Amino acid sequence: MKRAFNFSAGPSMLPLDVIEKVAAELTDYNGCGESVMEMSHRSAEFKQILKDAEADLRDLMSIPDNYKVLFLQGGGTLQFSMVPLNLMTGSKKADYIVGGSWAKKAAKEAAKFGDVKVVASSEDDNFTYIPKVDKSQIRPDADYVHITYNNTIYGTHYAEVPDVGDVTLVADMSSCILSENIDVSKFGLIYAGAQKNIGPAGMTLVIVREDLLGKAPADIPIYLDYQIHADNDSSYNTPPCFAIYVAGEVFKKIKREGGVEVLLKANVEKAKMLYDYIDGSGFYKCPVAKEDRSLMNVVFVTGNGDLDKKFVSQAKEKGLHNLGGHRSIGGMRASIYNAMPKEGVEALIDFMEEFRKENA
Amino acid sequence: MKRAFNFSAGPSMLPLDVIEKVAAELTDYNGCGESVMEMSHRSAEFKQILKDAEADLRDLMSIPDNYKVLFLQGGGTLQFSMVPLNLMTGSKKADYIVGGSWAKKAAKEAAKFGDVKVVASSEDDNFTYIPKVDKSQIRPDADYVHITYNNTIYGTHYAEVPDVGDVTLVADMSSCILSENIDVSKFGLIYAGAQKNIGPAGMTLVIVREDLLGKAPADIPIYLDYQIHADNDSSYNTPPCFAIYVAGEVFKKIKREGGVEVLLKANVEKAKMLYDYIDGSGFYKCPVAKEDRSLMNVVFVTGNGDLDKKFVSQAKEKGLHNLGGHRSIGGMRASIYNAMPKEGVEALIDFMEEFRKENA
């Protein structure tokens, strides 16, 4: 068995020891005679798994007690609807800062349900930077401001939490959650698809301040009401049990190995190696403004579309998978989430240098 | 390792050989160096998994070409909203036949979005039978009629597809899908949560006739529009990849072993053994009308609540798990889905007889 270095933007690499543990107990979890895949979501065993996953996540992110943690389905896409349906219920206004196509989709979706204003966008320069916003640009009566904290496609990331004054801040953290320390109290709501830093696809994490709950109109689709899930410990209906279990194993591993601080240090090191190599190569170019560069998604190009394709294809043969940029922009993208070992980045740089020598 | 016989209503038993195969290839699927949990949903490998799962299901259920097969998230609960949002768009009327609490919830949810009429209900007798409907009771201009084909909680099941005239028939088949042959062409839409007969929780199957698509208003939440998923081969956003893969392995196994016909024969045999024992025991009683009894969920009581609890608890000690009835009705329920071996039912009957002798 030779494991690839998988640079996919998501679903993406998981820690090998977690996968091995899951495999070892797949027919019989903890001596109970059942697989987690087979376990009633009302069983004592699964309730414990869910409880531990939440407790460990609260610990890892220092989530304050006045926030609920929800394990849902439907991905970021369903959150694009759930956020406005639940939160855009006061002034029915929401402001969106658009730093990439996911943020744009989120804003477009929210506009179905209320008065949405795009207060800033970096689309004018192909989303190569994080749009800077002064809080005076935010409508003071907006129900919330929405940001995408890390843009998976464009490789940009907020260097700091933007100051939006007293308005509730909502963030899509799908591609950076648990990769850095976040002060949850600065946000009203954080959501994240699991399939990048947390676990397998099919589970979406929502962290929401309690006072924001219970304001959704009674006629929204019941699954889309956060309150229902909060009142029922994410088990109003059958939750994505297996994905929650794997996520819980990932949380345990992060705790065991020192927490998010340790991951952040490794992530900074991995990203620095790669950006330094790109910037110094004289061959590859990262189009992203230096101060806005993502630790998770490193985009780069050779400047020649055919050469980019050749790069992605030859890399795959070397066991460096999924280095193609998002289909909307092409080029290359190395997603180096928590589970990507330093050795993966080293192998990538070795290949990049080899490719440069052959093609420069 | 001693595997339990797990009578859970869902999530529930999966075939052991499928779990073992999944475990064996969990760190490296098919020599590609990645786990299916880590695989990009845009990768050639995963696209093949998805394609095969759909093709095998089409084959197993003889799904006509003018039906789309969708692999979604959100469970039956999200379907309670998606069905009316997508289909109740003509006369904005829908008729519901209510044979259990899930059907009742489905009707309640649909009433948020249009004119819902409960045309028949068996709630008067605690849902112990399937309400019979003459097609003259159906509003001829209703956009659809909704039924729950098998009632998981009450252990009832349609002996035949009801005649609803020319009105589109929609069925929740969560707890009976793939347990019997179904003439898909009699239905406009069939949906089923995966966690009973298909695979792990977190995936919902929708089979929908193409002419019913594309009628949803533009302002419904985008994830709730069937057309979006149909246009994008269930990959508009990241699908629940791992659950789809396990379901695909279950489909392959069913095909390998002779198809749904073979399963139906085994299911009839298992259910007959259990119902015959109950009816002849003089101690246990099944409250369900004989002609409406489910092959999948067998409910029974001793007539003494305390004794029922003792039964469930002692059974668990013997490796017969999750025999408690749904928390809303108590008593006992043995869910004997496709993956429950005949030996499991035999072991249950042995225990029931032992318990009877000690407690009669």
PDB file of all heavy atoms in Angstrom, chain A residues 172-206:
ATOM      1  N   ASP A 172     -18.087  31.778   6.882  1.00  0.00           N
ATOM      2  CA  ASP A 172     -17.893  30.450   6.307  1.00  0.00           C
ATOM      3  C   ASP A 172     -16.423  30.096   6.525  1.00  0.00           C
ATOM      4  O   ASP A 172     -15.538  30.737   5.964  1.00  0.00           O
ATOM      5  CB  ASP A 172     -18.227  30.507   4.813  1.00  0.00           C
ATOM      6  CG  ASP A 172     -17.970  29.182   4.096  1.00  0.00           C
ATOM      7  OD1 ASP A 172     -17.439  28.244   4.711  1.00  0.00           O
ATOM      8  OD2 ASP A 172     -18.310  29.102   2.892  1.00  0.00           O
ATOM      9  N   MET A 173     -16.170  29.099   7.378  1.00  0.00           N
ATOM     10  CA  MET A 173     -14.787  28.703   7.670  1.00  0.00           C
ATOM     11  C   MET A 173     -14.487  27.291   7.163  1.00  0.00           C
ATOM     12  O   MET A 173     -13.597  26.610   7.692  1.00  0.00           O
ATOM     13  CB  MET A 173     -14.518  28.784   9.181  1.00  0.00           C
ATOM     14  CG  MET A 173     -14.517  30.200   9.713  1.00  0.00           C
ATOM     15  SD  MET A 173     -13.623  30.334  11.273  1.00  0.00           S
ATOM     16  CE  MET A 173     -13.915  32.067  11.659  1.00  0.00           C
ATOM     17  N   SER A 174     -15.204  26.889   6.132  1.00  0.00           N
ATOM     18  CA  SER A 174     -15.064  25.515   5.641  1.00  0.00           C
ATOM     19  C   SER A 174     -13.614  25.098   5.432  1.00  0.00           C
ATOM     20  O   SER A 174     -13.208  24.001   5.800  1.00  0.00           O
ATOM     21  CB  SER A 174     -15.824  25.358   4.317  1.00  0.00           C
ATOM     22  OG  SER A 174     -17.202  25.504   4.524  1.00  0.00           O
ATOM     23  N   SER A 175     -12.827  25.986   4.836  1.00  0.00           N
ATOM     24  CA  SER A 175     -11.478  25.544   4.455  1.00  0.00           C
ATOM     25  C   SER A 175     -10.377  26.013   5.407  1.00  0.00           C
ATOM     26  O   SER A 175      -9.199  25.880   5.084  1.00  0.00           O
ATOM     27  CB  SER A 175     -11.172  25.958   3.017  1.00  0.00           C
ATOM     28  OG  SER A 175     -11.460  27.314   2.795  1.00  0.00           O
ATOM     29  N   CYS A 176     -10.750  26.536   6.578  1.00  0.00           N
ATOM     30  CA  CYS A 176      -9.682  26.884   7.532  1.00  0.00           C
ATOM     31  C   CYS A 176     -10.001  26.498   8.964  1.00  0.00           C
ATOM     32  O   CYS A 176      -9.166  26.662   9.844  1.00  0.00           O
ATOM     33  CB  CYS A 176      -9.339  28.364   7.438  1.00  0.00           C
ATOM     34  SG  CYS A 176     -10.716  29.456   7.838  1.00  0.00           S
ATOM     35  N   ILE A 177     -11.173  25.972   9.200  1.00  0.00           N
ATOM     36  CA  ILE A 177     -11.535  25.634  10.580  1.00  0.00           C
ATOM     37  C   ILE A 177     -10.502  24.683  11.193  1.00  0.00           C
ATOM     38  O   ILE A 177      -9.993  23.789  10.522  1.00  0.00           O
ATOM     39  CB  ILE A 177     -12.965  25.045  10.638  1.00  0.00           C
ATOM     40  CG1 ILE A 177     -13.430  25.017  12.086  1.00  0.00           C
ATOM     41  CG2 ILE A 177     -13.049  23.661  10.000  1.00  0.00           C
ATOM     42  CD1 ILE A 177     -14.876  25.354  12.272  1.00  0.00           C
ATOM     43  N   LEU A 178     -10.154  24.931  12.417  1.00  0.00           N
ATOM     44  CA  LEU A 178      -9.197  24.108  13.185  1.00  0.00           C
ATOM     45  C   LEU A 178      -7.767  24.183  12.649  1.00  0.00           C
ATOM     46  O   LEU A 178      -6.903  23.433  13.104  1.00  0.00           O
ATOM     47  CB  LEU A 178      -9.656  22.644  13.262  1.00  0.00           C
ATOM     48  CG  LEU A 178     -10.885  22.389  14.122  1.00  0.00           C
ATOM     49  CD1 LEU A 178     -11.320  20.927  14.002  1.00  0.00           C
ATOM     50  CD2 LEU A 178     -10.632  22.724  15.579  1.00  0.00           C
ATOM     51  N   SER A 179      -7.512  25.086  11.710  1.00  0.00           N
ATOM     52  CA  SER A 179      -6.140  25.228  11.218  1.00  0.00           C
ATOM     53  C   SER A 179      -5.424  26.360  11.942  1.00  0.00           C
ATOM     54  O   SER A 179      -4.222  26.533  11.799  1.00  0.00           O
ATOM     55  CB  SER A 179      -6.145  25.529   9.718  1.00  0.00           C
ATOM     56  OG  SER A 179      -6.655  26.826   9.475  1.00  0.00           O
ATOM     57  N   GLU A 180      -6.164  27.139  12.711  1.00  0.00           N
ATOM     58  CA  GLU A 180      -5.623  28.314  13.404  1.00  0.00           C
ATOM     59  C   GLU A 180      -6.548  28.617  14.576  1.00  0.00           C
ATOM     60  O   GLU A 180      -7.700  28.196  14.591  1.00  0.00           O
ATOM     61  CB  GLU A 180      -5.604  29.499  12.451  1.00  0.00           C
ATOM     62  CG  GLU A 180      -7.004  29.891  11.989  1.00  0.00           C
ATOM     63  CD  GLU A 180      -7.024  30.969  10.909  1.00  0.00           C
ATOM     64  OE1 GLU A 180      -6.424  32.022  11.137  1.00  0.00           O
ATOM     65  OE2 GLU A 180      -7.642  30.726   9.850  1.00  0.00           O
ATOM     66  N   ASN A 181      -6.059  29.385  15.530  1.00  0.00           N
ATOM     67  CA  ASN A 181      -6.911  29.788  16.644  1.00  0.00           C
ATOM     68  C   ASN A 181      -7.859  30.884  16.201  1.00  0.00           C
ATOM     69  O   ASN A 181      -7.455  31.815  15.524  1.00  0.00           O
ATOM     70  CB  ASN A 181      -6.062  30.302  17.806  1.00  0.00           C
ATOM     71  CG  ASN A 181      -5.167  29.217  18.351  1.00  0.00           C
ATOM     72  OD1 ASN A 181      -5.635  28.138  18.641  1.00  0.00           O
ATOM     73  ND2 ASN A 181      -3.873  29.492  18.464  1.00  0.00           N
ATOM     74  N   ILE A 182      -9.103  30.732  16.591  1.00  0.00           N
ATOM     75  CA  ILE A 182     -10.145  31.706  16.245  1.00  0.00           C
ATOM     76  C   ILE A 182     -10.831  32.131  17.544  1.00  0.00           C
ATOM     77  O   ILE A 182     -11.122  31.279  18.382  1.00  0.00           O
ATOM     78  CB  ILE A 182     -11.192  31.014  15.315  1.00  0.00           C
ATOM     79  CG1 ILE A 182     -10.610  30.776  13.922  1.00  0.00           C
ATOM     80  CG2 ILE A 182     -12.473  31.825  15.212  1.00  0.00           C
ATOM     81  CD1 ILE A 182     -10.379  32.024  13.112  1.00  0.00           C
ATOM     82  N   ASP A 183     -11.059  33.414  17.676  1.00  0.00           N
ATOM     83  CA  ASP A 183     -11.825  33.893  18.826  1.00  0.00           C
ATOM     84  C   ASP A 183     -13.301  33.819  18.469  1.00  0.00           C
ATOM     85  O   ASP A 183     -13.859  34.721  17.845  1.00  0.00           O
ATOM     86  CB  ASP A 183     -11.405  35.328  19.165  1.00  0.00           C
ATOM     87  CG  ASP A 183     -12.165  35.871  20.370  1.00  0.00           C
ATOM     88  OD1 ASP A 183     -13.108  35.202  20.854  1.00  0.00           O
ATOM     89  OD2 ASP A 183     -11.808  36.976  20.836  1.00  0.00           O
ATOM     90  N   VAL A 184     -13.914  32.718  18.842  1.00  0.00           N
ATOM     91  CA  VAL A 184     -15.309  32.455  18.447  1.00  0.00           C
ATOM     92  C   VAL A 184     -16.237  33.586  18.883  1.00  0.00           C
ATOM     93  O   VAL A 184     -17.204  33.913  18.188  1.00  0.00           O
ATOM     94  CB  VAL A 184     -15.784  31.096  19.029  1.00  0.00           C
ATOM     95  CG1 VAL A 184     -17.271  30.866  18.766  1.00  0.00           C
ATOM     96  CG2 VAL A 184     -14.959  29.950  18.439  1.00  0.00           C
ATOM     97  N   SER A 185     -15.907  34.225  20.005  1.00  0.00           N
ATOM     98  CA  SER A 185     -16.811  35.255  20.545  1.00  0.00           C
ATOM     99  C   SER A 185     -16.937  36.466  19.614  1.00  0.00           C
ATOM    100  O   SER A 185     -17.837  37.283  19.781  1.00  0.00           O
ATOM    101  CB  SER A 185     -16.352  35.694  21.934  1.00  0.00           C
ATOM    102  OG  SER A 185     -15.169  36.469  21.831  1.00  0.00           O
ATOM    103  N   LYS A 186     -16.044  36.587  18.657  1.00  0.00           N
ATOM    104  CA  LYS A 186     -16.166  37.690  17.691  1.00  0.00           C
ATOM    105  C   LYS A 186     -17.212  37.409  16.601  1.00  0.00           C
ATOM    106  O   LYS A 186     -17.511  38.273  15.780  1.00  0.00           O
ATOM    107  CB  LYS A 186     -14.811  37.957  17.019  1.00  0.00           C
ATOM    108  CG  LYS A 186     -13.787  38.576  17.976  1.00  0.00           C
ATOM    109  CD  LYS A 186     -12.522  38.962  17.237  1.00  0.00           C
ATOM    110  CE  LYS A 186     -11.569  39.726  18.170  1.00  0.00           C
ATOM    111  NZ  LYS A 186     -10.249  39.921  17.537  1.00  0.00           N
ATOM    112  N   PHE A 187     -17.708  36.192  16.577  1.00  0.00           N
ATOM    113  CA  PHE A 187     -18.642  35.782  15.527  1.00  0.00           C
ATOM    114  C   PHE A 187     -20.014  35.442  16.112  1.00  0.00           C
ATOM    115  O   PHE A 187     -20.111  34.922  17.227  1.00  0.00           O
ATOM    116  CB  PHE A 187     -18.105  34.541  14.793  1.00  0.00           C
ATOM    117  CG  PHE A 187     -16.781  34.782  14.114  1.00  0.00           C
ATOM    118  CD1 PHE A 187     -15.586  34.658  14.811  1.00  0.00           C
ATOM    119  CD2 PHE A 187     -16.730  35.168  12.778  1.00  0.00           C
ATOM    120  CE1 PHE A 187     -14.360  34.901  14.198  1.00  0.00           C
ATOM    121  CE2 PHE A 187     -15.505  35.413  12.155  1.00  0.00           C
ATOM    122  CZ  PHE A 187     -14.323  35.273  12.869  1.00  0.00           C
ATOM    123  N   GLY A 188     -21.049  35.721  15.347  1.00  0.00           N
ATOM    124  CA  GLY A 188     -22.384  35.281  15.742  1.00  0.00           C
ATOM    125  C   GLY A 188     -22.607  33.848  15.318  1.00  0.00           C
ATOM    126  O   GLY A 188     -23.204  33.042  16.024  1.00  0.00           O
ATOM    127  N   LEU A 189     -22.075  33.533  14.143  1.00  0.00           N
ATOM    128  CA  LEU A 189     -22.247  32.184  13.605  1.00  0.00           C
ATOM    129  C   LEU A 189     -21.047  31.835  12.722  1.00  0.00           C
ATOM    130  O   LEU A 189     -20.574  32.661  11.948  1.00  0.00           O
ATOM    131  CB  LEU A 189     -23.550  32.113  12.797  1.00  0.00           C
ATOM    132  CG  LEU A 189     -23.998  30.730  12.300  1.00  0.00           C
ATOM    133  CD1 LEU A 189     -25.533  30.645  12.268  1.00  0.00           C
ATOM    134  CD2 LEU A 189     -23.435  30.349  10.944  1.00  0.00           C
ATOM    135  N   ILE A 190     -20.574  30.610  12.897  1.00  0.00           N
ATOM    136  CA  ILE A 190     -19.496  30.060  12.064  1.00  0.00           C
ATOM    137  C   ILE A 190     -20.020  28.757  11.479  1.00  0.00           C
ATOM    138  O   ILE A 190     -20.628  27.960  12.197  1.00  0.00           O
ATOM    139  CB  ILE A 190     -18.239  29.769  12.931  1.00  0.00           C
ATOM    140  CG1 ILE A 190     -17.602  31.069  13.433  1.00  0.00           C
ATOM    141  CG2 ILE A 190     -17.223  28.935  12.152  1.00  0.00           C
ATOM    142  CD1 ILE A 190     -16.545  30.860  14.514  1.00  0.00           C
ATOM    143  N   TYR A 191     -19.814  28.566  10.193  1.00  0.00           N
ATOM    144  CA  TYR A 191     -20.160  27.250   9.633  1.00  0.00           C
ATOM    145  C   TYR A 191     -19.004  26.708   8.817  1.00  0.00           C
ATOM    146  O   TYR A 191     -18.135  27.455   8.362  1.00  0.00           O
ATOM    147  CB  TYR A 191     -21.457  27.292   8.824  1.00  0.00           C
ATOM    148  CG  TYR A 191     -21.451  28.159   7.576  1.00  0.00           C
ATOM    149  CD1 TYR A 191     -21.068  27.628   6.336  1.00  0.00           C
ATOM    150  CD2 TYR A 191     -21.878  29.484   7.614  1.00  0.00           C
ATOM    151  CE1 TYR A 191     -21.093  28.411   5.180  1.00  0.00           C
ATOM    152  CE2 TYR A 191     -21.905  30.270   6.458  1.00  0.00           C
ATOM    153  CZ  TYR A 191     -21.507  29.734   5.253  1.00  0.00           C
ATOM    154  OH  TYR A 191     -21.526  30.499   4.111  1.00  0.00           O
ATOM    155  N   ALA A 192     -18.995  25.392   8.658  1.00  0.00           N
ATOM    156  CA  ALA A 192     -17.893  24.748   7.942  1.00  0.00           C
ATOM    157  C   ALA A 192     -18.315  23.365   7.470  1.00  0.00           C
ATOM    158  O   ALA A 192     -18.782  22.550   8.265  1.00  0.00           O
ATOM    159  CB  ALA A 192     -16.673  24.618   8.852  1.00  0.00           C
ATOM    160  N   GLY A 193     -18.157  23.119   6.183  1.00  0.00           N
ATOM    161  CA  GLY A 193     -18.285  21.750   5.686  1.00  0.00           C
ATOM    162  C   GLY A 193     -17.136  20.934   6.260  1.00  0.00           C
ATOM    163  O   GLY A 193     -16.029  21.444   6.439  1.00  0.00           O
ATOM    164  N   ALA A 194     -17.398  19.674   6.565  1.00  0.00           N
ATOM    165  CA  ALA A 194     -16.384  18.860   7.261  1.00  0.00           C
ATOM    166  C   ALA A 194     -15.235  18.429   6.367  1.00  0.00           C
ATOM    167  O   ALA A 194     -14.150  18.099   6.857  1.00  0.00           O
ATOM    168  CB  ALA A 194     -17.052  17.612   7.832  1.00  0.00           C
ATOM    169  N   GLN A 195     -15.444  18.430   5.055  1.00  0.00           N
ATOM    170  CA  GLN A 195     -14.589  17.638   4.169  1.00  0.00           C
ATOM    171  C   GLN A 195     -13.212  18.217   3.867  1.00  0.00           C
ATOM    172  O   GLN A 195     -12.561  17.775   2.936  1.00  0.00           O
ATOM    173  CB  GLN A 195     -15.340  17.333   2.874  1.00  0.00           C
ATOM    174  CG  GLN A 195     -15.649  18.537   2.000  1.00  0.00           C
ATOM    175  CD  GLN A 195     -16.955  19.229   2.345  1.00  0.00           C
ATOM    176  OE1 GLN A 195     -17.509  18.997   3.403  1.00  0.00           O
ATOM    177  NE2 GLN A 195     -17.447  20.069   1.465  1.00  0.00           N
ATOM    178  N   LYS A 196     -12.772  19.189   4.669  1.00  0.00           N
ATOM    179  CA  LYS A 196     -11.439  19.733   4.446  1.00  0.00           C
ATOM    180  C   LYS A 196     -10.541  19.466   5.662  1.00  0.00           C
ATOM    181  O   LYS A 196      -9.559  18.740   5.566  1.00  0.00           O
ATOM    182  CB  LYS A 196     -11.533  21.214   4.106  1.00  0.00           C
ATOM    183  CG  LYS A 196     -12.267  21.428   2.762  1.00  0.00           C
ATOM    184  CD  LYS A 196     -12.823  22.812   2.601  1.00  0.00           C
ATOM    185  CE  LYS A 196     -13.896  22.892   1.550  1.00  0.00           C
ATOM    186  NZ  LYS A 196     -13.506  22.659   0.168  1.00  0.00           N
ATOM    187  N   ASN A 197     -10.908  20.017   6.798  1.00  0.00           N
ATOM    188  CA  ASN A 197     -10.073  19.837   7.991  1.00  0.00           C
ATOM    189  C   ASN A 197     -10.696  18.949   9.054  1.00  0.00           C
ATOM    190  O   ASN A 197     -10.088  18.717  10.099  1.00  0.00           O
ATOM    191  CB  ASN A 197      -9.750  21.205   8.611  1.00  0.00           C
ATOM    192  CG  ASN A 197      -8.422  21.751   8.116  1.00  0.00           C
ATOM    193  OD1 ASN A 197      -7.497  20.995   7.840  1.00  0.00           O
ATOM    194  ND2 ASN A 197      -8.309  23.059   8.015  1.00  0.00           N
ATOM    195  N   ILE A 198     -11.899  18.467   8.834  1.00  0.00           N
ATOM    196  CA  ILE A 198     -12.621  17.807   9.929  1.00  0.00           C
ATOM    197  C   ILE A 198     -12.841  16.321   9.711  1.00  0.00           C
ATOM    198  O   ILE A 198     -12.587  15.510  10.602  1.00  0.00           O
ATOM    199  CB  ILE A 198     -13.985  18.519  10.156  1.00  0.00           C
ATOM    200  CG1 ILE A 198     -13.764  19.973  10.613  1.00  0.00           C
ATOM    201  CG2 ILE A 198     -14.811  17.755  11.166  1.00  0.00           C
ATOM    202  CD1 ILE A 198     -15.052  20.762  10.835  1.00  0.00           C
ATOM    203  N   GLY A 199     -13.332  15.942   8.564  1.00  0.00           N
ATOM    204  CA  GLY A 199     -13.678  14.537   8.370  1.00  0.00           C
ATOM    205  C   GLY A 199     -14.222  14.305   6.977  1.00  0.00           C
ATOM    206  O   GLY A 199     -13.998  15.114   6.080  1.00  0.00           O
ATOM    207  N   PRO A 200     -14.958  13.214   6.796  1.00  0.00           N
ATOM    208  CA  PRO A 200     -15.501  12.933   5.459  1.00  0.00           C
ATOM    209  C   PRO A 200     -16.628  13.902   5.100  1.00  0.00           C
ATOM    210  O   PRO A 200     -17.234  14.521   5.981  1.00  0.00           O
ATOM    211  CB  PRO A 200     -16.036  11.503   5.587  1.00  0.00           C
ATOM    212  CG  PRO A 200     -16.166  11.230   7.034  1.00  0.00           C
ATOM    213  CD  PRO A 200     -15.270  12.162   7.772  1.00  0.00           C
ATOM    214  N   ALA A 201     -16.921  14.036   3.838  1.00  0.00           N
ATOM    215  CA  ALA A 201     -18.029  14.869   3.370  1.00  0.00           C
ATOM    216  C   ALA A 201     -19.344  14.333   3.919  1.00  0.00           C
ATOM    217  O   ALA A 201     -19.464  13.147   4.219  1.00  0.00           O
ATOM    218  CB  ALA A 201     -18.067  14.871   1.846  1.00  0.00           C
ATOM    219  N   GLY A 202     -20.317  15.224   4.037  1.00  0.00           N
ATOM    220  CA  GLY A 202     -21.647  14.791   4.471  1.00  0.00           C
ATOM    221  C   GLY A 202     -22.007  15.311   5.845  1.00  0.00           C
ATOM    222  O   GLY A 202     -23.064  14.989   6.368  1.00  0.00           O
ATOM    223  N   MET A 203     -21.123  16.105   6.423  1.00  0.00           N
ATOM    224  CA  MET A 203     -21.427  16.713   7.721  1.00  0.00           C
ATOM    225  C   MET A 203     -21.006  18.172   7.676  1.00  0.00           C
ATOM    226  O   MET A 203     -19.967  18.495   7.103  1.00  0.00           O
ATOM    227  CB  MET A 203     -20.681  15.968   8.824  1.00  0.00           C
ATOM    228  CG  MET A 203     -21.159  16.319  10.223  1.00  0.00           C
ATOM    229  SD  MET A 203     -20.218  17.641  10.973  1.00  0.00           S
ATOM    230  CE  MET A 203     -18.814  16.720  11.584  1.00  0.00           C
ATOM    231  N   THR A 204     -21.841  19.021   8.222  1.00  0.00           N
ATOM    232  CA  THR A 204     -21.563  20.463   8.270  1.00  0.00           C
ATOM    233  C   THR A 204     -21.642  20.914   9.711  1.00  0.00           C
ATOM    234  O   THR A 204     -22.618  20.632  10.403  1.00  0.00           O
ATOM    235  CB  THR A 204     -22.617  21.255   7.474  1.00  0.00           C
ATOM    236  OG1 THR A 204     -22.864  20.579   6.259  1.00  0.00           O
ATOM    237  CG2 THR A 204     -22.136  22.676   7.204  1.00  0.00           C
ATOM    238  N   LEU A 205     -20.625  21.618  10.123  1.00  0.00           N
ATOM    239  CA  LEU A 205     -20.566  22.105  11.489  1.00  0.00           C
ATOM    240  C   LEU A 205     -21.133  23.516  11.545  1.00  0.00           C
ATOM    241  O   LEU A 205     -20.793  24.350  10.691  1.00  0.00           O
ATOM    242  CB  LEU A 205     -19.087  22.123  11.874  1.00  0.00           C
ATOM    243  CG  LEU A 205     -18.744  22.488  13.291  1.00  0.00           C
ATOM    244  CD1 LEU A 205     -19.226  21.412  14.237  1.00  0.00           C
ATOM    245  CD2 LEU A 205     -17.228  22.649  13.378  1.00  0.00           C
ATOM    246  N   VAL A 206     -21.984  23.781  12.530  1.00  0.00           N
ATOM    247  CA  VAL A 206     -22.477  25.140  12.758  1.00  0.00           C
ATOM    248  C   VAL A 206     -22.257  25.485  14.225  1.00  0.00           C
ATOM    249  O   VAL A 206     -22.628  24.711  15.114  1.00  0.00           O
ATOM    250  CB  VAL A 206     -23.981  25.264  12.395  1.00  0.00           C
ATOM    251  CG1 VAL A 206     -24.521  26.640  12.804  1.00  0.00           C
ATOM    252  CG2 VAL A 206     -24.193  25.046  10.902  1.00  0.00           C
TER     253      VAL A 206
END
